Amino acid sequence: MSVSQFKSAMECEARMIAELKGEFTRPQSTALLVGSYLHAAIESDEAFNRFVEENHKWIFGSRGAKYKDFEKADDMITTIKNDRFCQFALQGEKEVIYTGELFGVPWKIKVDNINHEKCYFSDLKSTQELRKRYWSEKYSTWVSFVQAYDYVLQMWVYREIIYQNTGRYYEPYILAVTKENPPDKAGLHFDHSRFDFEREYVQQMLPSIIEAKQGKKEPHRCEKCEYCRSTKVLKGTFEIEFLLD
Ligand SMILES: [Zn+2]
């Protein structure tokens, strides 16, 4: 299991299984590509140059200029590189892989930045605005982008797996940079009490995903995503009340 697989299954178990089987591929998302572009820029010049070379056709238009999203990403990179605190918080080993076990299931994580000397790990996240609100079914309330994109869950999983490998609980940080012009930025830490909820949530949701992966049950269909829409077969009607479920 990985955090991205878990998150994908929370959105739609059926789509996640179809992706694993190679029966469905999500279209390349610009937001994901921009995220990787930012990470490569922070990692090293070599990693960045390699990334730009490999993804040239997505980054540059036919006239040789960068697409708007990547011009904006360049602003975000400058914002981070010019901030001494950001540079300090991003010091450490990059893209480190660990494996471990949670609730009897093997997990693999890739930590963007880990500092063993000071026992912390950090991740750069881009978002629209720092204070934008999102309605969350998971938390049954309005939340920030951090909960909306399950970054608290990610930080909890990483913290546990790193503990299993090092014997110490490392402190997680998020460096957030916005897509605004000019970009906003923030360093974020987590009240540890938030992690209990994520532990219980993973424990509660994991068995269903594992059963679906092992073919012991039909994966749950969200009936809303691109995969479910494209494979939907109607069997009847439902009362209009359920349209807003
Ligand atoms: Zn679905």
Side-chain angles (χ1 to χ4, degrees):
M1 184 61 52
S2 68
V3 170
S4 60
Q5 201 176 80
F6 184 89
K7 282 202 243 182
S8 173
M10 287 300 93
E11 287 166 18
C12 182
E13 208 171 78
R15 186 192 64 193
M16 189 274 279
I17 298 291
E19 281 183 316
L20 274 185
K21 288 183 178 166
E23 294 166 358
F24 181 75
T25 340
R26 268 184 278 180
Q28 172 84 273
S29 120
T30 307
L32 273 183
L33 205 62
V34 167
S36 307
Y37 181 85
L38 291 175
H39 275 115
I42 297 307
E43 191 184 337
S44 67
D45 289 346
E46 292 93 311
F48 184 68
N49 291 337
R50 199 179 333 120
F51 184 86
V52 171
E53 213 169 280
E54 283 167 5
N55 296 282
H56 198 275
K57 64 173 172 175
W58 305 106
I59 298 170
F60 294 93
S62 55
R63 290 185 187 167
K66 280 182 187 173
Y67 287 117
K68 275 227 161 58
D69 289 311
F70 291 93
E71 271 182 17
K72 201 181 283 174
D74 284 340
D75 280 347
M76 292 156 87
I77 293 164
T78 309
T79 297
I80 296 150
K81 289 204 165 167
N82 286 344
D83 188 287
R84 282 180 64 187
F85 184 84
C86 283
Q87 286 307 303
F88 173 73
L90 288 167
Q91 272 170 13
E93 275 180 64
K94 302 287 185 288
E95 312 272 316
V96 186
I97 290 169
Y98 293 103
T99 55
E101 193 204 291
L102 295 171
F103 309 112
V105 175
W107 287 67
K108 182 167 132 182
I109 62 168
K110 190 167 83 180
V111 187
D112 289 285
N113 180 64
I114 185 162
N115 191 314
H116 292 294
E117 217 174 288
K118 300 196 174 79
C119 290
Y120 71 82
F121 61 98
S122 56
D123 199 354
L124 180 68
K125 302 288 192 194
S126 56
T127 187
Q128 286 181 327
E129 301 165 32
L130 290 177
R131 288 175 172 79
K132 187 173 170 181
R133 286 159 179 263
Y134 301 79
W135 176 257
S136 166
E137 303 265 331
K138 174 182 170 184
Y139 297 98
S140 309
T141 185
W142 292 92
V143 297
S144 74
F145 77 95
V146 179
Q147 292 102 324
Y149 288 92
D150 255 337
Y151 296 149
V152 191
L153 183 143
Q154 182 187 345
M155 296 298 132
W156 174 70
V157 171
Y158 282 20
R159 205 168 118 90
E160 289 296 326
I161 302 292
I162 292 168
Y163 172 76
Q164 291 175 15
N165 283 270
T166 64
R168 294 188 70 165
Y169 276 112
Y170 282 39
E171 206 52 45
Y173 295 103
I174 282 181
L175 285 166
V177 57
T178 73
K179 298 171 182 175
E180 294 160 296
N181 186 19
D184 202 353
K185 59 195 172 179
L188 306 169
H189 68 261
F190 297 84
D191 189 296
H192 291 183
S193 62
R194 294 186 186 278
F195 297 138
D196 297 335
F197 180 85
E198 305 303 328
R199 178 187 297 110
E200 279 168 30
Y201 183 76
V202 173
Q203 185 171 22
Q204 193 188 338
M205 300 300 176
L206 198 52
S208 164
I209 305 172
I210 299 303
E211 275 181 41
K213 278 183 82 171
Q214 292 173 339
K216 290 181 183 162
K217 65 152 221 181
E218 278 298 306
H220 179 257
R221 294 169 56 89
C222 76
E223 299 296 5
K224 292 171 190 164
C225 73
E226 58 270 61
Y227 170 74
C228 289
R229 293 197 311 268
S230 68
T231 54
K232 192 175 285 189
V233 181
L234 292 187
K235 296 195 181 92
T237 61
F238 58 82
E239 214 285 325
I240 61 167
E241 163 83 17
F242 298 104
L243 282 172
L244 296 186
D245 246 10

